Amino acid sequence: MPTPSITVRGLLLDMDGTLVNSDAVVARVWRGWATEQGLDPEEVLRVAHGRQGHLTMATVLPGRPVEQNLADNRALLAKETADLDGIVPVPGAPAFLAAVEPLPHALVTSADRGLSTARMGAARLRMPQIRITSEDVSASKPDPEGFLKGAAELGFAPAECAVFEDSGAGIAAGLAAGMPVVGIGPRAAAHSPTAHVPDLEAVRVEPLQDGRIRLSFHG
């Protein structure tokens, strides 16, 4: 979609699918869980991207006890944190993180602190100094709470921050927060982000003299 540029003051970065390609691990863990529950693994995976695990479970198994979902979620998180096979950076992620290092930015992820540390480390990516993880919010994406907290941590109004996201839940959260959203990768295109690019190689980050950040896109 043609959006020549977006100018903001802060950047809010999702992790899985945006900076880190963890699809192989996510597919392994969630296909196993779906099969155990007698569910269609592909249908569960369509829901799982970008959400906290217990919310995915509540969505695909409505009426299931919350305690059971939370217990299953703890078990799956342990599996995901231990399984780092196949985790790689999204194309352009190392250069993108280098470009934004001196600029106001934060990680906003549905992962917990342990999982985000493990995956960023496995992909050999720098962890942003500010990060909002599942421990910091009361509601998962598509609720905007995480992105609103990220903007507050950076000290900017929501509309002054751009979100980078790959999932439908994450894009919905960013838009609900009143922020422009840069959709990354093939999953993002169907969810009407403000701009869409195939990966981070297609994003140019330009600091402006007044302290703002201009994002431009190609590809």
Side-chain angles (χ1 to χ4, degrees):
M1 56 187 68
T3 301
S5 67
I6 293 171
T7 302
V8 289
R9 293 192 176 276
L11 308 175
L12 301 174
L13 316 175
D14 174 52
M15 182 182 70
D16 290 306
T18 300
L19 298 173
V20 173
N21 183 344
S22 55
D23 283 2
V25 178
V26 172
R28 280 196 296 272
V29 170
W30 281 98
R31 281 198 177 105
W33 181 86
T35 301
E36 289 171 3
Q37 308 304 318
L39 299 171
D40 177 0
E42 298 310 312
E43 184 59 37
V44 172
L45 279 172
R46 276 192 286 274
V47 176
H49 288 292
R51 300 174 189 262
Q52 290 182 27
H54 65 87
L55 183 58
T56 295
M57 295 169 189
T59 302
V60 298
L61 290 174
R64 192 172 190 245
V66 172
E67 295 78 10
Q68 191 172 355
N69 290 341
L70 291 173
D72 276 14
N73 187 46
R74 285 192 293 271
L76 290 194
L77 266 176
K79 286 183 181 178
E80 287 190 90
T81 304
D83 185 353
L84 302 176
D85 187 30
I87 289 190
V88 294
V90 165
F96 176 82
L97 282 172
V100 306
E101 185 166 8
L103 306 174
H105 67 287
L107 190 76
V108 181
T109 176
S110 295
D112 66 7
R113 293 186 77 81
L115 183 58
S116 61
T117 298
R119 286 190 174 164
M120 291 290 280
R124 303 194 174 201
L125 293 175
R126 174 185 62 81
M127 177 65 75
Q129 186 174 357
I130 297 172
R131 60 172 155 164
I132 306 295
T133 63
S134 64
E135 293 96 334
D136 301 312
V137 297
S138 60
S140 174
K141 303 170 187 178
D143 191 281
E145 181 185 358
F147 287 125
L148 292 172
K149 284 197 168 183
E153 285 287 329
L154 294 181
F156 300 126
E160 294 181 309
C161 296
V163 165
F164 286 74
E165 263 287 0
D166 72 300
S167 71
I171 291 167
L175 294 174
M179 302 171 179
V181 179
V182 182
I184 307 294
R187 273 194 296 269
H191 301 287
S192 303
T194 312
H196 177 255
V197 291
D199 54 45
L200 290 169
E201 289 181 343
V203 180
R204 183 185 176 207
V205 180
E206 182 185 359
L208 302 178
Q209 288 187 343
D210 62 3
R212 294 183 300 161
I213 305 162
R214 179 184 293 140
L215 305 169
S216 53
F217 316 101
H218 58 88

